[in-house]
Amino acid sequence: QVQLVESGGGLVQAGDSLRLSCAASGRTISTYAMGWFRQAPGKEREPVGAISRSGGTTVYADSVKGRCTISRDNAKATVYLQMNTLKPEDTAVYYCAVRRGSYAGPSSSARDYEYWGQGTQVTVSS
């Protein structure tokens, strides 16, 4: 079992930056790839990006590519999502997740993830 707690969300203005954190406990997350997803009101959950077990490989959704960076500190059991130049359409609840099994690489499919945090709200005003 893995417990994930996201933090760092809030209300910001368009153009601002935020760094979300995802703190893990219960297992050594260095053995797992991790992902970030988001869900806006009335919409399906969508991928933001993901990071490999080692942190050496990242993938991003086209909607955030160039504006977001995912990183991880395995010693602190924490994964980060740095978001820059935020837009109103980035408003959503952001979730981190642990990839299922022993796959080292990142995945953009929610079905590949086993454990999820409770989410943190990000609201971007125009």
Side-chain angles (χ1 to χ4, degrees):
Q1 193 79 6
V2 178
Q3 293 78 44
L4 302 172
V5 178
E6 301 95 336
S7 61
L11 172 62
V12 297
Q13 293 186 332
D16 285 351
S17 298
L18 273 179
R19 188 176 81 156
L20 306 184
S21 298
C22 171
S25 61
R27 282 190 191 175
T28 304
I29 66 161
S30 60
T31 59
Y32 299 96
M34 303 283 293
W36 283 97
F37 294 78
R38 67 186 183 185
Q39 187 167 18
K43 295 186 177 181
E44 294 187 354
R45 189 170 298 189
E46 63 177 12
V48 176
I51 188 167
S52 64
R53 192 165 58 196
S54 68
T57 303
T58 51
V59 295
Y60 300 96
D62 288 343
S63 59
V64 303
K65 199 172 292 183
R67 299 190 296 119
C68 290
T69 303
I70 297 175
S71 60
R72 65 191 298 163
D73 185 337
N74 286 336
K76 295 182 178 180
T78 302
V79 178
Y80 304 97
L81 173 63
Q82 176 70 42
M83 302 189 293
N84 301 321
T85 320
L86 283 161
K87 304 175 181 180
E89 50 264 45
D90 293 320
T91 295
V93 178
Y94 284 72
Y95 301 89
C96 67
V98 175
R99 185 169 185 182
R100 191 186 311 276
S102 60
Y103 298 98
S107 170
S108 297
S109 174
R111 293 175 295 181
D112 289 337
Y113 291 84
E114 183 174 12
Y115 299 105
W116 296 80
Q118 84 292 345
T120 185
Q121 176 71 46
V122 172
T123 303
V124 184
S125 64
S126 57

